[in-house]
Amino acid sequence: MLLEATSVSYNYGLKAKPLPKSKKNKSPKVPKKPQLPQQLPITSTNHNAIHHNAQITLEASQGFPQRTIPEPVVIVPGLPSSSQHDDYETFPEVDAMMVKENKELVSRKHNKLDTQRGTTQVRDSDRMAKSEGILIGLKELIGEIFEAEDQMQSDTSGQKSTNASNLFDSAASGDVEILTLAAPALAKLDSLISNLSAADRFSEIPAEDLCRLQKLCEGSLHTAESLDLRLENARGEYDIDRWLVLLSLADSGLKSSKTLLRMMTAGREEKQLYSEEMLQSILGVLKNILESCLIPTAELRRSGPTLELFKLIHPHNKYLSSLLIQSSKVLRLLALLFSKEKVDNAITTVLFLSTQLIFVENAHSDKDSVFGVQKFENLRVAAMDVLAKIFLKHTDQRTFIFDEILTSLEKLPITRQSARQYKLIEGKNIQLVSALIMRLVQTSALPCDDSFGISSRKYSTDNAEKEEEDGSSDQDGDGIVVINEEKASSHPNSAIQSLSQLTKPLLDSAYRNAHFIVKFIVARALKSTKTGDAPYRNLLDIFAEDFIAVLNSTDWPAAELLLQQLLSTMIGISGDEKQPAPAKTMALDLMGLMGSAIADINTQIRQMTNSIEKNDTNLSGIVAQLAEESLEGKIREYDMLAWDGPQRAILEHLDERDLIDEQLQSASGFLTTQWSNSVCKYFESADEDEADESEIGELGILAYRLRKMNLDRKWLREE
């Protein structure tokens, strides 16, 4: 702009042309031009230009008439014909200074690396020292327990020593008094076993010692399994005191169960540690406590026919709350056991107990609950975790699990206040059953390894490495093996086919399950009205509202799939002339509900994109641009699927939040499978349209990476 305004002429290495003579009439006489001050000798054409400009400026200041072209001229000399080494001047002091700075930079980097290595070594050393302390502590505790037991067996006086009193209790099993570990000893034992397992050093405890500990815990199991904990037994002052004693024995039985399950889930290979009879006793204790005590207590209310019993039990809720917490821990350990070990005989009992807990009607306010609403809800969430883990690991049980859940839906409360007690991270509340259904659909899209003793989400690193070595999995019909990204880029068809073979059956399973669930609920809703006795019509509305509530959440991607199935079904009903008017009204209501939700989400997206700078090169700017293009229908599908696009950002966001949260794992696995399927579909269409060759190669690399991510949920973070 500045150059255009000043009209500066540029001449590169050329002599300035003389100014043309003016063609105007003769001008009046003008004073004689003053002489410029004496100048230094002009040595270059550029100095000529400076001298020429100065002369023009001086003439203008003295009132001389302007010439025809009063424009300054800048002459830029041309480049020399050649550049020789001798033409350059050296500056030794500058070179020395740069070398010194470079050495200091390298030194700082080395020091930083040394510090990091030293910190890592210190941490490893601290970790080893800590685990050694835990190992010594557990061995000492086991030695004290065994020594006290030996003393009590050799002492016929019937009196306990001080140490034995701290470690053991006596309990009656029928007419026989048996020796059991005391609650403080069980708590300490459980903590040490848990910490030692986490340090991967539990294998250093002799199996004989563990078997002896298990036998000491069995006494508590047999006692707790046969306790009569019915609430009716607590009536009267004497009876309530006796009932509280029974609760303490039940608590001891649960703590013993927890300690035994810690040993079973610690990865030991000795078969004698996995007694089927002992596991059945643990389930018997849990079943007795849940069905005779905790579930009836959760159903008590401050009003109605249970008012009197509520007032009697409520002052002692701390004892009941302890049972509730221990039952939750036992349930979670059972879920972990079933994901690691094959225990088919016990699965049915656990499934029945977990399903029963899911459909217990909890109070909708703390004042109407003996436990407190959220405390009992935590137990139900533990039951949901059990069902989800068994659903993932034992594929033969999936139909049974769905049947149990769907046929029990009529037990759910049909009022929204009572139904929605599962708290989401965003602060919203939905039904626990809605969360369970979405999680099971998401779990359907996860690869499952039917072998036991390894992670449920990961096929096994050894198996994955073996596949790479022999090429058994990344091989197409032509025998081309894809073992790295270079191969995937040069043979994208093989990489895509290998990915499709892995993920297509998984996504098909999720679609089938979602369709089955929606079809079941809709079929029953069509047979009832909102004012009828059957609850399915009301429940259908609640389910739809719950799925919509999490539609824009990355934690519940199955909500979109379930709503798609529901929308498709409603469109079919509304267009079917054979359907009665109430059914069509229901379909139109639900379609309006979903349409309104979609419009709200589009509005939210538009508002968010308007607040972000589109030209920003970071992720937020890229996503904002993609969102805007999507709303305008101009988005290019490849941009949504690319490795550096929004799909990977979502998965990294889920991994960063919590890698061990199984709900987030199911969401991450579902999204990975969905992403993989979209890539395969796009590749097929791109291949037909003869897309750009470099893009096809990128799709091959993307397929290779996605396959890795499907087989190992940690691959993305580690890479």
Side-chain angles (χ1 to χ4, degrees):
M1 291 174 62
L2 179 62
L3 292 176
E4 291 174 357
T6 55
S7 299
V8 177
S9 300
Y10 290 88
N11 292 301
Y12 290 86
L14 300 175
K15 292 183 179 181
K17 293 182 180 179
L19 293 174
K21 295 181 178 179
S22 175
K23 295 182 181 178
K24 292 182 181 179
N25 296 330
K26 279 188 177 181
S27 55
K29 258 188 179 180
V30 293
K32 191 177 180 181
K33 296 180 186 177
Q35 295 295 321
L36 288 171
Q38 188 175 358
Q39 303 291 323
L40 293 173
I42 298 174
T43 58
S44 70
T45 53
N46 205 41
H47 284 89
N48 258 332
I50 296 171
H51 179 73
H52 178 70
N53 291 340
Q55 184 175 351
I56 294 172
T57 305
L58 183 60
E59 289 177 3
S61 64
Q62 296 295 331
F64 284 89
Q66 292 185 351
R67 301 189 183 192
T68 307
I69 306 178
E71 298 174 345
V73 178
V74 175
I75 298 176
V76 180
L79 293 172
S81 58
S82 63
S83 298
Q84 300 298 325
H85 186 271
D86 296 338
D87 296 337
Y88 292 90
E89 185 177 353
T90 59
F91 296 90
E93 63 278 6
V94 176
D95 293 340
M97 182 176 65
M98 293 180 66
V99 170
K100 181 181 178 182
E101 289 179 354
N102 187 45
K103 286 182 178 180
E104 290 177 353
L105 179 61
V106 172
S107 177
R108 284 197 299 270
K109 287 183 178 179
H110 286 168
N111 290 338
K112 184 178 180 181
L113 289 173
D114 291 341
T115 303
Q116 290 175 346
R117 292 192 192 101
T119 303
T120 303
Q121 291 174 356
V122 169
R123 287 176 180 173
D124 291 342
S125 177
D126 291 344
R127 194 179 295 112
M128 285 296 296
K130 186 177 180 180
S131 65
E132 186 67 26
I134 296 170
L135 178 63
I136 293 172
L138 181 56
K139 286 182 175 180
E140 289 178 350
L141 178 61
I142 292 173
E144 291 175 8
I145 291 172
F146 291 166
E147 183 180 355
E149 182 192 18
D150 293 339
Q151 289 178 355
M152 292 180 67
Q153 289 177 348
S154 61
D155 187 0
T156 57
S157 65
Q159 294 184 351
K160 295 181 185 177
S161 64
T162 303
N163 190 33
S165 299
N166 294 332
L167 296 173
F168 288 97
D169 281 333
S170 297
S173 179
D175 297 331
V176 181
E177 187 172 310
I178 56 177
L179 200 64
T180 63
L181 285 173
L186 283 171
K188 189 175 181 180
L189 193 62
D190 178 73
S191 175
L192 289 170
I193 292 174
S194 176
N195 292 331
L196 197 61
S197 299
D200 199 22
R201 299 192 65 181
F202 189 63
S203 58
E204 298 180 37
I205 302 296
E208 296 76 13
D209 292 350
L210 297 178
C211 289
R212 187 173 175 182
L213 281 175
Q214 287 183 337
K215 289 191 176 298
L216 288 173
C217 292
E218 284 181 355
S220 297
L221 299 185
H222 295 315
T223 300
E225 196 174 0
S226 59
L227 292 174
D228 186 0
L229 300 172
R230 289 175 298 171
L231 304 184
E232 292 77 9
N233 296 336
R235 297 182 185 277
E237 185 176 347
Y238 171 76
D239 291 333
I240 190 67
D241 291 338
R242 182 177 175 277
W243 187 69
L244 293 177
V245 172
L246 296 179
L247 291 186
S248 67
L249 293 174
D251 187 69
S252 178
L254 286 173
K255 288 177 179 176
S256 295
S257 300
K258 187 174 64 171
T259 302
L260 290 169
L261 288 170
R262 292 276 188 213
M263 298 182 196
M264 293 180 175
T265 57
R268 296 293 292 257
E269 297 181 357
E270 295 86 353
K271 294 296 183 183
Q272 62 266 35
L273 298 177
Y274 302 93
S275 167
E276 188 75 26
E277 182 181 350
M278 188 182 304
L279 183 58
Q280 291 294 342
S281 294
I282 291 172
L283 294 176
V285 171
L286 184 62
K287 185 175 185 295
N288 181 37
I289 293 172
L290 288 176
E291 293 183 346
S292 67
C293 181
L294 295 182
I295 291 177
T297 301
E299 294 173 340
L300 295 178
R301 298 293 179 266
R302 195 180 287 273
S303 58
T306 61
L307 173 61
E308 181 182 348
L309 201 53
F310 183 94
K311 290 181 177 179
L312 179 66
I313 299 297
H314 190 270
H316 309 286
N317 60 356
K318 66 177 182 179
Y319 299 101
L320 292 164
S321 294
S322 177
L323 286 181
L324 195 71
I325 293 170
Q326 297 303 325
S327 297
S328 298
K329 292 179 178 179
V330 170
L331 269 175
R332 294 187 187 279
L333 285 169
L334 281 169
L336 183 60
L337 177 66
F338 291 139
S339 68
K340 289 186 173 184
E341 304 297 333
K342 191 172 180 62
V343 281
D344 293 336
N345 294 338
I347 283 182
T348 304
T349 304
V350 175
L351 289 178
F352 274 121
L353 283 176
S354 300
T355 306
Q356 188 177 5
L357 281 172
I358 293 289
F359 291 97
V360 173
E361 185 172 356
N362 195 6
H364 64 270
S365 65
D366 286 338
K367 69 176 184 179
D368 270 343
S369 174
V370 174
F371 299 114
V373 174
Q374 283 307 309
K375 286 183 179 179
F376 190 76
E377 201 64 22
N378 291 337
L379 178 63
R380 285 160 32 109
V381 171
M384 179 176 73
D385 290 340
V386 172
L387 290 173
K389 283 193 173 182
I390 294 177
F391 185 88
L392 172 63
K393 197 70 176 178
H394 301 265
T395 54
D396 58 321
Q397 297 291 331
R398 291 185 175 184
T399 302
F400 175 76
I401 291 172
F402 273 129
D403 288 342
E404 284 296 305
I405 293 171
L406 295 176
T407 54
S408 301
L409 289 179
E410 59 187 9
K411 301 176 184 177
L412 290 173
I414 58 176
T415 59
R416 285 163 173 77
Q417 184 181 16
S418 300
R420 295 190 173 114
Q421 294 174 340
Y422 181 77
K423 282 190 175 296
L424 301 171
I425 295 176
E426 299 86 356
K428 301 176 184 176
N429 281 21
I430 62 173
Q431 291 183 117
L432 179 67
V433 180
S434 299
L436 174 61
I437 287 174
M438 288 187 286
R439 182 167 171 184
L440 294 183
V441 171
Q442 290 169 186
T443 303
S444 304
L446 271 63
C448 172
D449 179 20
D450 292 332
S451 63
F452 289 84
I454 58 177
S455 170
S456 61
R457 175 65 181 96
K458 191 180 174 188
Y459 258 109
S460 151
T461 304
D462 295 338
N463 290 344
E465 290 175 355
K466 182 178 182 295
E467 287 179 350
E468 285 194 2
E469 290 172 2
D470 59 21
S472 60
S473 62
D474 290 2
Q475 182 172 310
D476 68 0
D478 298 329
I480 297 174
V481 181
V482 179
I483 58 173
N484 53 39
E485 292 187 2
E486 185 179 352
K487 281 277 189 181
S489 178
S490 58
H491 298 90
N493 284 291
S494 300
I496 291 290
Q497 184 176 346
S498 181
L499 177 65
S500 179
Q501 289 172 352
L502 173 65
T503 59
K504 190 176 183 301
L506 300 175
L507 198 61
D508 288 346
S509 175
Y511 271 87
R512 282 195 306 270
N513 290 335
H515 178 72
F516 176 72
I517 293 165
V518 170
K519 183 180 177 182
F520 182 94
I521 299 174
V522 170
R524 278 154 181 76
L526 289 173
K527 297 177 182 178
S528 63
T529 63
K530 286 190 175 182
T531 56
D533 295 333
Y536 284 99
R537 176 65 184 92
N538 301 68
L539 289 174
L540 181 59
D541 286 345
I542 295 175
F543 277 121
E545 291 167 1
D546 286 349
F547 299 152
I548 288 171
V550 297
L551 184 57
N552 58 351
S553 171
T554 58
D555 296 3
W556 305 97
E560 181 183 1
L561 176 57
L562 287 161
L563 287 172
Q564 286 175 350
Q565 295 294 322
L566 181 59
L567 178 60
S568 176
T569 305
M570 293 301 104
I571 291 174
I573 292 173
S574 64
D576 188 355
E577 296 180 356
K578 297 180 180 180
Q579 291 291 349
K584 291 189 175 184
T585 302
M586 177 188 75
L588 291 173
D589 287 345
L590 288 170
M591 285 193 291
L593 184 67
M594 288 183 273
S596 175
I598 293 171
D600 290 342
I601 291 175
N602 285 341
T603 301
Q604 292 174 14
I605 293 173
R606 199 175 295 279
Q607 290 173 349
M608 292 174 66
T609 55
N610 290 337
S611 64
I612 299 174
E613 181 60 45
K614 310 295 188 307
N615 297 327
D616 199 346
T617 56
N618 61 22
L619 181 62
S620 60
I622 295 171
V623 172
Q625 183 65 34
L626 290 174
E628 187 173 289
E629 292 174 358
S630 177
L631 292 173
E632 295 174 356
K634 300 177 181 178
I635 193 166
R636 186 166 173 264
E637 188 177 359
Y638 179 79
D639 294 335
M640 290 292 293
L641 300 176
W643 176 250
D644 56 354
Q647 304 276 7
R648 181 163 65 98
I650 293 172
L651 296 177
E652 288 178 345
H653 166 69
L654 290 172
D655 283 349
E656 285 171 2
R657 285 171 53 197
D658 193 345
L659 193 62
I660 62 173
D661 187 322
E662 292 180 346
Q663 156 54 29
L664 297 182
Q665 288 177 19
S666 72
S668 178
F670 182 88
L671 289 169
T672 305
T673 303
Q674 207 171 40
W675 184 10
S676 303
N677 188 66
S678 299
V679 168
C680 293
K681 285 185 175 180
Y682 179 77
F683 179 85
E684 293 172 3
S685 61
D687 188 41
E688 292 173 0
D689 297 337
E690 298 182 356
D692 181 71
E693 186 176 345
S694 62
E695 186 176 290
I696 295 297
E698 288 296 325
L699 287 172
I701 295 174
L702 179 58
Y704 175 81
R705 292 172 178 173
L706 285 172
R707 190 174 190 280
K708 290 289 185 184
M709 290 164 59
N710 275 285
L711 293 177
D712 183 359
R713 63 181 176 83
K714 296 180 181 179
W715 184 87
L716 179 60
R717 173 176 287 195
E718 291 173 352
E719 290 298 316

